[in-house]
Amino acid sequence: MIYPSIDKLLNIVDSKYELVHIAARRSKQISKDGLLQLAETEYKSKKNIGRALEEVSEGLIEVKKKED
C-alpha cells in the first residue's frame, strides 16, 4: 500500500495537480537545502518526494485554498 493515501491527501489539497506542484516544490527544497525535517517522527519514505507528501499529509505544509 502506498503511504500516504491519495484519498487522504485530496482531502487536504483541492486537486491532484496542485498536490503534484506542492510536493515537487518541497522535494526540490529538500534536495537543495538538505533535509530540513518538519516531521516530529521519522519519515517512512526514503525519497524526497515521498517525504514531501508525508509532510502534506501531516499538515506540516500549509495549503492555501482559493477563495472565489
Side-chain angles (χ1 to χ4, degrees):
M1 180 180 281
I2 298 174
Y3 181 81
S5 166
I6 187 72
D7 296 327
K8 182 177 179 182
L9 291 168
L10 289 178
N11 287 331
I12 299 169
V13 181
D14 292 335
S15 73
K16 292 178 189 178
Y17 304 106
E18 185 178 5
L19 177 62
V20 168
H21 180 73
I22 291 167
R25 287 182 65 192
R26 176 62 179 143
S27 178
K28 287 178 186 177
Q29 183 182 37
I30 292 170
S31 295
K32 180 181 171 191
D33 299 335
L35 179 61
L36 302 172
Q37 188 167 347
L38 295 179
E40 295 176 6
T41 59
E42 292 294 319
Y43 292 102
K44 293 183 182 180
S45 180
K46 294 179 184 178
K47 297 183 179 181
N48 293 339
I49 194 75
R51 291 176 177 174
L53 290 171
E54 287 180 40
E55 291 175 356
V56 171
S57 174
E58 293 177 19
L60 300 173
I61 296 177
E62 182 180 341
V63 179
K64 295 181 180 179
K65 305 246 179 179
K66 283 187 177 181
E67 294 182 26
D68 292 331

